[in-house]
Amino acid sequence: MPAVAKTTDAAVVAAARTLVERVGADGLSMQAVASAVGVRAPSLYKRFPDRGALIDAVAEAAVADLHAALAAADRAARTPAEALAAMARAYRAFARRSPKGYGLLFTDRGAHAAPAVDSRAAAVAPVLARLSGLVGEQHALSAARLLTAWLHGFVSMELAGAFRLGGDIDDAFAFGLTVLLDGITHWRSA
Amino acid sequence: MPAVAKTTDAAVVAAARTLVERVGADGLSMQAVASAVGVRAPSLYKRFPDRGALIDAVAEAAVADLHAALAAADRAARTPAEALAAMARAYRAFARRSPKGYGLLFTDRGAHAAPAVDSRAAAVAPVLARLSGLVGEQHALSAARLLTAWLHGFVSMELAGAFRLGGDIDDAFAFGLTVLLDGITHWRSA
DNA sequence: ACCTGAACACCGTTCAAGT
DNA sequence: ACCTGAACACCGTTCAAGT
């Protein structure tokens, strides 16, 4: 009757995150996760219905970290423009720190993508809020889509090694950020 | 000695592309590809060293199609600004037409990503060329990175279902394109 | 030259049995 | 309650043998 628990949900997710960063989500095996927490693979199915659900949990943990990083950058800034620039840099820093975990956020994983959708919106909520203060509620959504699309595109291309034609990538990031924030701020009517 | 070939490399890649669009690259099985071309799985290894190489070939075919779509849009336009807008729309249209194939282009697939890198640069070369005419060679690379990052980010977020807060997505695309092209065109010094 | 069945290794998942 | 070994299904890959 006792059957003491050898691990916890949180420990399993933490081990899975570490492994995902090392071998990628595709390469994640239930055996490897199990042995990392001192258990056999079948035991994991008492905690997660299947491998996809475990990867979902990894994605949720990653998006929560991203949210925390953005919120911290937001709090440390004074003006809306400073806050947006700081959040953009924090966003890129997060993606570079957790490239595989970041890659999970915007990958369509079929049925298993559903849970991350709301968290994703919550994670970038501070960006939307600052843009509302800058360009008004009406334009904030379009502006947020412009800024987050560029951010996501930039960092995922950077992570995929798609910037091959030379030039400094930090400069390209700063250039893009300046043009975008200027464009968003000064954009007038249709 | 005869052993007549039952299929061709091109037919295998075409079957693999169709299957990838249906089940995703992760779900692509060698058996399914083989049976689609009327052959048994082991025969595929005479044509491609392994499953990853076959997926590479799918990615190469997709990037070639993207290049063709961009080049066609470029040819049909008169001014640089028109050409850039037309290429942006063609880019998005391609991604919507071949979402899984598009997804292969900027996914880091480890050792197997290498071959697609040069093709990827070639595919967006028309964009770089038009930007050179618009803002000069010095700024063309930064401008291209800004534009392609936004394009990639926008379409991959759209495909991942990341635009959930309402509003028209076509409008958001048009808005982003306008702000970016204006920003790039009118951007002055540092 | 290209094709095949058989075999192997590996992995996700289930389940009956342990404590 | 949670853990386990054993078993099953499925798939990538190899290989010896066919034509």
Side-chain angles (χ1 to χ4, degrees):
Chain A
M1 282 164 191
V4 69
K6 290 183 171 180
T7 185
T8 64
D9 289 9
V12 172
V13 173
R17 286 187 82 177
T18 303
L19 281 165
V20 162
E21 288 303 333
R22 200 176 308 160
V23 301
D26 287 357
L28 184 77
S29 86
M30 297 300 270
Q31 282 197 40
V33 175
S35 96
V37 297
V39 122
R40 300 287 181 167
S43 297
L44 299 177
Y45 292 82
K46 292 283 167 183
R47 302 178 178 282
F48 301 90
D50 55 29
R51 184 175 168 280
L54 177 53
I55 294 178
D56 281 349
V58 171
E60 286 293 345
V63 80
D65 278 4
L66 173 59
H67 176 68
L70 294 181
D74 193 31
R75 276 192 304 273
R78 272 179 304 266
T79 71
E82 276 179 22
L84 287 165
M87 285 191 279
R89 287 186 288 266
Y91 189 101
R92 179 171 176 232
F94 170 79
R96 290 165 65 119
R97 204 186 313 131
S98 309
K100 307 286 187 181
Y102 178 78
L104 245 26
L105 298 196
F106 293 104
T107 300
D108 184 4
R109 301 188 29 260
H112 276 292
V117 163
D118 292 335
S119 315
R120 214 156 50 182
V124 296
V127 173
L128 193 62
R130 286 294 195 176
L131 284 170
S132 287
L134 205 60
V135 300
E137 288 228 20
Q138 289 174 25
H139 297 109
L141 185 58
S142 287
R145 282 173 174 164
L146 172 55
L147 187 57
T148 57
W150 171 72
L151 274 172
H152 170 56
F154 192 98
V155 304
S156 58
M157 288 176 73
E158 181 179 12
L159 295 178
F163 293 141
R164 298 247 152 189
L165 298 177
D168 191 86
I169 296 186
D170 289 346
D171 287 351
F173 187 81
F175 170 82
L177 190 55
T178 300
V179 171
L180 277 178
L181 292 181
D182 282 10
I184 287 169
T185 307
H186 298 115
W187 191 75
R188 303 257 188 288
S189 77
Chain B
M1 285 164 192
V4 68
K6 290 183 169 180
T7 186
T8 63
D9 288 11
V12 172
V13 173
R17 287 186 80 177
T18 302
L19 282 165
V20 163
E21 288 304 332
R22 201 175 309 161
V23 300
D26 287 357
L28 185 77
S29 87
M30 298 299 270
Q31 282 196 42
V33 176
S35 95
V37 298
V39 123
R40 302 285 182 167
S43 296
L44 299 177
Y45 293 81
K46 290 286 168 180
R47 303 180 177 281
F48 301 91
D50 56 28
R51 183 174 168 280
L54 176 53
I55 294 178
D56 283 348
V58 170
E60 287 291 347
V63 80
D65 278 4
L66 174 59
H67 176 67
L70 294 181
D74 193 31
R75 276 193 304 272
R78 273 181 302 267
T79 70
E82 275 179 23
L84 288 165
M87 285 192 280
R89 286 186 288 265
Y91 189 100
R92 180 171 174 231
F94 170 79
R96 290 164 64 119
R97 204 185 313 133
S98 310
K100 305 287 185 180
Y102 178 78
L104 244 26
L105 298 195
F106 293 103
T107 302
D108 185 2
R109 302 189 28 262
H112 276 294
V117 165
D118 292 336
S119 315
R120 215 156 48 183
V124 296
V127 173
L128 193 62
R130 286 294 193 175
L131 285 169
S132 285
L134 206 59
V135 300
E137 289 228 19
Q138 290 173 25
H139 296 109
L141 185 58
S142 287
R145 282 173 174 163
L146 173 54
L147 187 57
T148 56
W150 171 72
L151 274 172
H152 170 57
F154 192 97
V155 304
S156 58
M157 287 176 75
E158 182 179 11
L159 295 178
F163 293 141
R164 299 245 152 191
L165 298 178
D168 191 86
I169 297 185
D170 290 347
D171 287 351
F173 188 80
F175 170 81
L177 189 55
T178 300
V179 172
L180 277 178
L181 292 181
D182 281 10
I184 287 169
T185 307
H186 298 116
W187 191 74
R188 305 257 187 288
S189 75

